[in-house]
Amino acid sequence: MPISFRFRLLPFLATIAVVVVGLNLGMWQSRRAAEKEAIAAKMAERMNSPATQWRSDTPEEQLQPFSKVTLRGQFLETWPMYLDNRPMQGRAGLYVLMPFKLEGSRRHILVARGWQARNPQDRTVLPRLFTPSGTIEIQGIVKEHLDRVMQLGQPEPYKPGAILQNLEIASLAAETGLAFYPLIVEQTSLTEDHLQRDWPAPSLGIDKHKGYAFQWYALSLMAGIFFVVTGIRRGKNAESKN
């Protein structure tokens, strides 16, 4: 028995529009996923490459984000700062930040030294922080910035011991009068300071883009199926009336 299909122009045009939009958005999301996969591969390559010795004469273009570096100099131990609301492995805590003066240079590098647990009774009570004195050598990963969180209330001014929600290097340099490189280093080498350095891997949202692409492709497919099914139903209804 032949299938009866009743064609209607307006539903057809609407279906074409939905399919075209869905396919285009799906392909855009697929391209974004591919681009971020390429970025992730580049990040992995830099993190697995030998560390670059960051000296006072090292060109900044060599200091690519997520590259490994070795720093020689000393911490400005009178200037610890803390980033709040940075949980690690399900525990509430803070990132410990400190300026690091590069050997042979007047410039400083902001180093995220590690993570420490927060006092559950009083967030302002901080454990004693051990800082190596004198000239030392540390290793770390270059970052353009630290992840931001929602700012709660008025930001606290930059000062030694400040507990902050977020931090901007340019503002820190302006308020302290210190010359900073426009980059941050997440320390990975171990020192006797009892800080944890299991830094979270950066999230590029690759799976999110793939999920959105699947949804847009599915919408296009469902729109086409819906048009065909409703056309067949209209055909059957028209035949039954005849």
Side-chain angles (χ1 to χ4, degrees):
M1 180 178 178
I3 297 176
S4 179
F5 182 88
R6 186 173 181 183
F7 176 84
R8 295 183 65 182
L9 180 60
L10 287 180
F12 174 74
L13 295 176
T15 301
I16 292 297
V18 171
V19 169
V20 169
V21 170
L23 289 177
N24 276 285
L25 289 174
M27 289 187 289
W28 181 80
Q29 292 287 356
S30 295
R31 286 195 299 271
R32 290 292 292 154
E35 290 170 0
K36 291 191 174 182
E37 284 178 333
I39 293 173
K42 191 67 175 177
M43 287 166 45
E45 179 186 344
R46 289 175 181 171
M47 294 174 73
N48 292 321
S49 298
T52 299
Q53 183 72 47
W54 188 339
R55 299 186 177 89
S56 58
D57 58 351
T58 301
E60 290 189 22
E61 55 268 22
Q62 290 186 13
L63 306 170
Q64 297 295 321
F66 302 102
S67 58
K68 289 196 301 187
V69 291
T70 300
L71 309 177
R72 184 171 177 81
Q74 58 185 32
F75 280 114
L76 189 58
E77 54 187 302
T78 58
W79 258 94
M81 292 171 291
Y82 302 86
L83 284 188
D84 202 0
N85 298 320
R86 263 59 178 195
M88 184 173 288
Q89 299 176 356
R91 299 174 62 198
L94 312 97
Y95 288 167
V96 180
L97 308 179
M98 189 172 285
F100 186 90
K101 187 175 183 296
L102 201 62
E103 186 178 49
S105 172
R106 295 183 178 180
R107 301 180 73 180
H108 292 74
I109 302 162
L110 185 63
V111 174
R113 293 184 53 190
W115 178 92
Q116 66 181 20
R118 191 175 64 189
N119 187 308
Q121 280 74 42
D122 187 347
R123 64 183 289 273
T124 64
V125 176
L126 300 169
R128 183 174 177 273
L129 177 63
F130 171 78
T131 301
S133 60
T135 300
I136 61 170
E137 190 168 278
I138 61 173
Q139 281 196 351
I141 303 294
V142 177
K143 300 286 290 291
E144 289 184 300
H145 54 79
L146 293 170
D147 294 336
R148 295 183 61 84
V149 299
M150 182 181 295
Q151 179 67 49
L152 302 174
Q154 288 294 108
E156 187 172 343
Y158 298 134
K159 62 183 180 181
I163 300 177
L164 310 164
Q165 305 289 332
N166 301 291
L167 183 146
E168 300 292 341
I169 295 181
S171 301
L172 177 64
E175 293 199 27
T176 61
L178 299 175
F180 279 93
Y181 285 89
L183 297 166
I184 293 172
V185 170
E186 288 182 346
Q187 183 179 342
T188 55
S189 57
L190 300 179
T191 52
E192 296 179 3
D193 52 20
H194 306 293
L195 297 175
Q196 295 186 37
R197 298 186 176 88
D198 186 17
W199 300 107
S203 175
L204 297 178
I206 296 172
D207 290 339
K208 179 184 69 175
H209 286 296
K210 289 182 177 179
Y212 287 156
F214 175 80
Q215 291 176 14
W216 286 116
Y217 291 141
L219 176 65
S220 298
L221 178 62
M222 293 303 297
I225 293 174
F226 181 78
F227 174 75
V228 172
V229 170
T230 52
I232 292 174
R233 286 180 178 174
R234 291 192 196 98
K236 287 182 178 180
N237 290 338
E239 282 187 350
S240 63
K241 289 180 181 179
N242 294 331

